[in-house]
Structures are given as C-alpha cells and as structure tokens.
Amino acid sequence: MLTGKQKSHLRSLAHHLNPIFQVGKEGKNENLIRHIEEAIETRELIKISVLNNSIEDPKEVGEWVAEASGSELVQVIGKTIVLYKESKDHKTIELP
C-alpha cells in the first residue's frame, strides 16, 4: 500500500510519460493484463488510456487492472490510469 507522499512522488514521475496501452471498445480482458504485467516489470511505472469508444468507466478499469496485475493504482485522472509495481530485476524508482 502506497502512502500519500509516495503517490505524489509517483504522479510527478508519471507526468511526462505517454500511455503505452489503450483500453478500447473490447474493454477489459486477460490479454491486456498479460501485456501490462510484462511491461510493468521492466518499467515499474506505466500509463494506460481509456479510449472514448470504450463503454468502461476508467476508475473501474484502473481498479480491475491493478488488482489483476498485482500492481498499485496511483491515479486515475480523466481517462488516464497510472500504475506502479516495484520491479524485481529492473528497480529504478526509489520511493520516499
């Protein structure tokens, strides 16, 4: 569980990142989770965007993806989701 100070630090790091995954009209699926797990292991901090044609609520998608991938939901702002998970092999982010 992340503290408020840690979430604030991660939000500032994520500000300059571009989303690397998109949730579209097909919504949530296991294939998406598999790709997110692989990406978050190497990057630790990722952004996901929920497209306008998606019928899914971004907050629900964020909670579902975080739980399914074993990561922490840092922020959902608009249609953008920020996730964090400490990497076992590629640790680069030091939390306060």
Side-chain angles (χ1 to χ4, degrees):
M1 191 71 157
L2 296 171
T3 65
K5 188 173 185 177
Q6 290 170 331
K7 283 186 179 184
S8 177
H9 177 69
L10 291 171
R11 282 194 299 267
S12 70
L13 293 175
H15 179 73
H16 302 290
L17 297 178
N18 292 321
I20 60 171
F21 293 107
Q22 297 175 334
V23 178
K25 61 184 175 187
E26 294 187 22
K28 308 177 284 194
N29 60 53
E30 294 303 316
N31 195 29
L32 175 69
I33 295 300
R34 186 171 46 82
H35 288 294
I36 288 173
E37 287 173 341
E38 292 169 3
I40 206 163
E41 174 57 32
T42 57
R43 299 176 185 228
E44 290 188 307
L45 189 65
I46 63 170
K47 275 187 180 179
I48 302 168
S49 67
V50 179
L51 300 178
N52 289 334
N53 66 353
S54 176
I55 59 171
E56 306 280 349
D57 177 50
K59 289 184 181 184
E60 290 177 12
V61 172
E63 291 169 1
W64 181 80
V65 169
E67 185 177 320
S69 65
S71 58
E72 295 278 345
L73 180 63
V74 176
Q75 178 182 28
V76 177
I77 185 163
K79 292 188 173 274
T80 303
I81 301 164
V82 179
L83 296 174
Y84 169 78
K85 183 176 181 182
E86 185 176 319
S87 176
K88 296 176 183 85
D89 302 326
H90 307 283
K91 182 152 176 55
T92 57
I93 298 175
E94 291 295 326
L95 293 176

